[in-house]
Amino acid sequence: MASIKISPSILSADFSKLGDEIKNLERAKADLIHIDVMDGHFVPNITIGPDVISKLRKYTSLPFDVHLMISPVDNFIKNFAEAGADIITIHPEATNDLENSIKKIKSLNKKAGVSLNPETSINKVLPVLNLIDLVLVMSVNPGFGGQKFMKETLRKVEELRNKIDKLKLNTEIEIDGGINFENAKMAKKSGVDILVSGTTIFKENGGNLEKNIELLRMG
Ligand code: DX5
Ligand code: ZN
């Protein structure tokens, strides 16, 4: 298995200097930059939109892993693609035609992801598994950083790993929410390809980004 990728969530960064924070993450050997977009409607929190993302684009050449927690999502897919997203991940509950939304993302030459809330079954994503590049398994309820990891969501990772391998697909599995040095090991064992982490990367070991990324990768 290829080595695990780390996608730091800038939700835990200092929003007054996001450009510098992103540069530091690249220096600290992050593989992707996870950007949480929240609208105060699909989830009870508000973050940033496409204008901020397009301004951040020049600070790194790392892929922007954009997690859209907005509804309805369709009207904004193009804006995020143009802002410089490389992966656009959507929630099935945020669209009334998941397949069509995925096709929209792909038609803009972006990677498409589908995110599953802790209570959302993998049956929501199975019919479109061959159309997408990523499944984002939420291990907390979306909306806030710093929540407690829900261990039971690893069952979904295992099931998805089996399906993806059986079908010989390249779809990657990403896990998001409450990841720390301990549960990162369990997530890897369950078959995760990409770990998202905000609090652990920005707050542990006095905020030593490089050390925390390395510890998550190696653990
Ligand atoms: C939650 C977000 C996560 C979150 C991860 O809605 O999707 O990406 O910021 O942060 P931690 O690692 O603090 O749980
Ligand atoms: Zn996220």
Side-chain angles (χ1 to χ4, degrees), residues 16 18 22 34 54 65 67 98 111 115 125 149 201 213:
S16 73
L18 278 180
I22 284 175
H34 188 83
S54 73
D65 170 25
H67 178 191
L98 182 59
K111 289 189 175 180
S115 179
V125 76
F149 180 74
I201 288 178
I213 289 174

Side-chain angles (χ1 to χ4, degrees), residues 74-175:
D74 263 21
N75 294 344
F76 284 100
I77 288 173
K78 194 159 179 271
N79 303 57
F80 286 99
E82 286 171 354
D86 297 282
I87 306 170
I88 298 179
T89 296
I90 61 175
H91 284 252
E93 296 84 359
T95 168
N96 47 29
D97 188 340
L98 182 59
E99 186 170 335
N100 189 52
S101 300
I102 291 165
K103 286 183 175 155
K104 204 168 205 168
I105 297 170
K106 300 297 289 186
S107 76
L108 295 159
N109 292 317
K110 303 298 177 183
K111 289 189 175 180
V114 171
S115 179
L116 301 175
N117 280 346
E119 73 280 9
T120 305
S121 151
I122 69 163
N123 292 334
K124 281 268 182 218
V125 76
L126 294 181
V128 295
L129 208 49
N130 61 332
L131 301 177
I132 60 177
D133 303 279
L134 180 86
V135 182
L136 174 54
V137 175
M138 291 301 302
S139 40
V140 298
N141 284 309
F144 301 93
Q147 301 182 74
K148 192 175 178 296
F149 180 74
M150 297 165 80
K151 195 175 165 201
E152 60 275 20
T153 58
L154 291 178
R155 274 291 289 270
K156 285 199 278 194
V157 172
E158 284 161 18
E159 286 175 44
L160 284 163
R161 181 81 274 154
N162 285 335
K163 299 270 184 210
I164 289 167
D165 290 351
K166 216 174 264 169
L167 296 167
K168 295 192 167 52
L169 297 173
N170 293 320
T171 321
E172 293 189 288
I173 304 175
E174 183 175 44
I175 194 157

Side-chain angles (χ1 to χ4, degrees), residues 191-207:
V192 160
D193 301 292
I194 308 171
L195 293 174
V196 174
S197 163
T199 306
T200 296
I201 288 178
F202 282 94
K203 310 283 182 225
E204 287 295 328
N205 296 304

Side-chain angles (χ1 to χ4, degrees), residues 9 11 34-38 67 69 136 138 176-177 196:
S9 165
L11 193 57
H34 188 83
I35 303 178
D36 289 305
V37 177
M38 306 184 187
H67 178 191
M69 288 160 273
L136 174 54
M138 291 301 302
D176 184 7
V196 174

